[in-house]
Amino acid sequence: MEMREKVNAALKQAMKDKATTRLATLRLINAAIKDRDIAERGNGNEEGVGDTEVLAILGKMVKQRQESARQYEEAGRLDLAEREVAEVEVIEEFLPRKLSEAEVSEAISAAISEVGASSIRDMGKVMGALKAQYTGQMDFGTVGPKVKDQLSAANG
């Protein structure tokens, strides 16, 4: 089932179950997807965004909420932090399983050999290959330095 269909099915179920927090979060997900669709139409893409892009949107939503929850906790607003964490749990239901450290290292090695990367200058190609294949399964903010390390080790 396509990502949009999964979100819409969950939305309908949340309405039936009268799960207000879940329903609100699912509506936010739908709104974010529709916003991106509208932006894509402006670029000439009438189809809207695909599953890979939807996964990227969801990943970004999770990061935003985790950061907000952390800030709320620091400010002593545990009620707001709990709401953010609850939203993260709903959003993560639609994301694929996160890869372990070992799986991330294997994926980086495979991407390096796949694109024929030989130096740090090829880092963009490696990151592009990883994003195409593993969106939503790894945190690319932490993957960047690991790619750099592996490329450096290959040359060192």
Side-chain angles (χ1 to χ4, degrees):
M1 186 177 347
E2 198 177 297
M3 290 299 296
R4 290 170 193 269
E5 294 168 2
K6 286 181 182 177
V7 172
N8 286 327
L11 187 79
K12 289 173 186 169
Q13 189 59 49
M15 284 180 190
K16 289 177 187 171
D17 297 344
K18 294 182 176 35
T20 54
T21 305
R22 183 173 173 75
L23 182 60
T25 304
L26 292 166
R27 285 183 172 148
L28 287 172
I29 293 170
N30 251 351
I33 294 169
K34 286 178 182 170
D35 282 349
R36 190 63 62 88
D37 281 344
I38 291 167
E40 285 298 308
R41 279 191 213 116
N43 297 334
N45 180 358
E46 295 301 318
E47 297 291 308
V49 295
D51 278 358
T52 305
E53 190 70 21
V54 170
L55 287 173
I57 292 167
L58 295 177
K60 187 174 181 183
M61 290 177 78
V62 166
K63 270 190 174 172
Q64 289 170 337
R65 276 149 188 80
Q66 287 170 337
E67 179 62 24
S68 295
R70 190 183 58 74
Q71 289 176 354
Y72 286 139
E73 283 175 13
E74 289 174 3
R77 295 295 310 268
L78 297 180
D79 55 325
L80 296 175
E82 287 173 10
R83 190 176 74 201
E84 295 291 325
V85 169
E87 287 184 6
V88 166
E89 289 172 4
V90 173
I91 297 166
E92 283 182 336
E93 290 175 27
F94 299 97
L95 290 172
R97 179 186 67 80
K98 293 275 186 214
L99 297 178
S100 69
E101 288 295 315
E103 290 170 320
V104 168
S105 291
E106 287 176 30
I108 292 170
S109 298
I112 287 171
S113 60
E114 178 185 316
V115 300
S118 58
S119 71
I120 292 292
R121 285 178 293 201
D122 298 321
M123 187 168 166
K125 291 179 193 171
V126 175
M127 291 298 286
L130 288 170
K131 285 181 179 178
Q133 201 169 359
Y134 297 103
T135 299
Q137 292 182 282
M138 56 175 73
D139 176 6
F140 291 102
T142 60
V143 167
K146 293 176 183 174
V147 170
K148 193 180 279 185
D149 290 345
Q150 283 198 26
L151 286 171
S152 298
N155 288 330

